[in-house]
Amino acid sequence: MQYDVLDFIDSGTLREMLREKKLEPAVECILIAQCSKQSMKNKLAALTEREKVYSDKDFQAGVYHLRDSNSFADSLRHYITELQNKLDLAETVCDDCCFQVIAEDEQYSCAFHSYSEAVQYIRSSGPPYESRIIRRKLNDADVSPVCYFLNEDQEISDILLFDDHDWNIEEAFAELPDDYQVGDIVQDLNHHAFYVIAHIEHATKETRWLEYADYGDMSLYCLGYYPNTMHSCGGSFGHSHHNILKMELADPADLPSKMKPLLALSLLLKGKMRITDFLESYSNRALPEMMKYYERK
């Protein structure tokens, strides 16, 4: 393949985990479609390459779920056609269309006659404008708008369609052979937040919830820590799900001091701390002292 699927995996950790593993054609396509850093032009080229190489039977392999009742191959061809058409629209100028740049807080927007003018405005303005451009047909409510998301290089990386998404492979679920373990400390680099993986469940074709799964189920099931001086224990733990494609393994040494309770939780979940020590020290706001004891062991 000219386009390696690893180049379309945003997470460096996940990229290395999958480097020597075989991914089924449908799973590769779902990962390519969900990439947020590569340009849409490159993503469509990689998908077209696979659509031409693999057969309908090849695309049946793997554990994944697409809402469309048709075959994955049919959905892939439809996805490529639809996205390419919308990509071409960005370069099409018409008198009754506008390209709208939406402010990050969605309280203000600017409209331009062409897509190139809108991109130039984003490049010159920078924050607080996020890289989002909406193409609208003026005075015609029956024509759905098209939303273009741009990557750091101001290239279109994603296109949101305001119509039926049942065929959209970007919203499909795919099971990945990752190597994450319960107790691993991970970081969401977009929000500079740390979490501990609390639960891992890999889907099979017999998994009951698979028939309802979508991209939102491609997550790491984590616990986060939220310091609060008014809390009786100094803070609380909370359950949250985080996109596996956006997370990275974290070095425990990088944890801020206020996040040290996550390190204690990590040791507990990995079986390296007694649960009695964890619960007693946490409930008495003594986790820092307990961690010193474990660090000496």
Side-chain angles (χ1 to χ4, degrees):
M1 290 286 181
Q2 178 182 352
Y3 293 91
D4 190 336
V5 66
L6 295 177
D7 294 333
F8 294 86
I9 298 177
D10 296 338
S11 165
T13 298
L14 185 61
R15 190 184 310 121
E16 292 307 311
M17 287 181 175
L18 302 181
R19 185 170 297 280
E20 302 299 329
K21 297 182 179 179
K22 177 177 173 55
L23 299 176
E24 295 82 1
V27 173
E28 284 196 355
C29 290
I30 292 170
L31 286 173
I32 291 169
Q34 292 185 357
C35 175
S36 63
K37 294 185 178 180
Q38 287 271 12
S39 69
M40 181 58 68
K41 180 180 178 181
N42 286 346
K43 290 198 288 186
L44 289 178
L47 292 173
T48 300
E49 182 180 45
R50 284 158 174 79
E51 187 272 328
K52 292 180 178 179
V53 170
Y54 296 118
S55 67
D56 289 14
K57 184 177 181 180
D58 292 330
F59 283 119
Q60 294 174 14
V63 178
Y64 64 88
H65 180 253
L66 183 66
R67 287 181 295 178
D68 191 356
S69 60
N70 295 326
S71 70
F72 187 91
D74 290 341
S75 296
L76 176 59
R77 284 187 282 267
H78 189 68
Y79 180 87
I80 292 172
T81 299
E82 288 292 320
L83 272 293
Q84 186 61 60
N85 288 340
K86 298 304 184 290
L87 193 60
D88 294 341
L89 278 180
E91 304 300 327
T92 303
V93 178
C94 60
D95 294 335
D96 58 348
C97 294
C98 74
F99 292 85
Q100 195 173 18
V101 177
I102 306 296
E104 189 172 11
D105 58 8
E106 298 191 0
Q107 298 299 310
Y108 178 76
S109 64
C110 296
F112 300 89
H113 185 58
S114 69
Y115 170 81
S116 59
E117 291 174 335
V119 172
Q120 184 58 41
Y121 179 77
I122 290 176
R123 288 173 176 168
S124 61
S125 299
Y129 298 100
E130 67 174 343
S131 300
R132 182 158 57 108
I133 299 173
I134 299 179
R135 183 187 190 273
R136 300 184 185 276
K137 191 76 176 293
L138 302 176
N139 304 317
D140 192 344
D142 293 332
V143 178
S144 297
V146 183
C147 184
Y148 300 95
F149 294 89
L150 278 63
N151 59 21
E152 296 176 353
D153 298 321
Q154 280 75 51
E155 300 172 314
I156 295 174
S157 61
D158 197 10
I159 301 175
L160 176 63
L161 305 175
F162 294 82
D163 53 17
D164 191 354
H165 286 190
D166 282 348
W167 47 265
N168 193 339
I169 64 172
E170 185 178 343
E171 298 188 355
F173 167 83
E175 178 57 43
L176 305 177
D178 64 88
D179 298 323
Y180 282 111
Q181 301 293 323
V182 170
D184 284 347
I185 299 176
V186 293
Q187 183 179 15
D188 180 345
L189 297 182
N190 290 335
H191 300 94
H192 307 289
F194 295 90
Y195 306 92
V196 173
I197 297 177
H199 173 69
I200 289 177
E201 181 177 351
H202 289 289
T204 68
K205 290 187 176 181
E206 288 72 39
T207 299
R208 184 174 299 178
W209 54 261
L210 183 62
E211 63 178 312
Y212 304 106
D214 62 14
Y215 68 100
D217 295 290
M218 295 175 62
S219 301
L220 296 176
Y221 302 92
C222 302
L223 284 168
Y225 180 70
Y226 307 94
N228 184 346
T229 56
M230 301 298 292
H231 193 281
S232 60
C233 299
S236 60
F237 292 97
H239 184 211
S240 55
H241 298 176
H242 300 277
N243 189 331
I244 191 172
L245 304 179
K246 310 297 182 186
M247 303 298 286
E248 305 281 0
L249 272 176
D251 186 339
D254 293 335
L255 279 174
S257 57
K258 65 179 181 180
M259 289 288 109
K260 290 300 184 183
L262 281 181
L263 181 55
L265 178 61
S266 172
L267 294 175
L268 173 65
L269 293 175
K270 286 181 177 290
K272 298 179 180 179
M273 176 182 282
R274 293 190 294 266
I275 190 171
T276 50
D277 288 343
F278 177 84
L279 290 176
E280 184 177 15
S281 59
Y282 170 66
S283 60
N284 290 291
R285 292 196 177 200
L287 270 180
E289 288 73 17
M290 182 58 66
M291 287 303 301
K292 292 178 182 177
Y293 166 75
Y294 275 90
E295 288 170 356
R296 292 194 300 267
K297 291 181 65 175

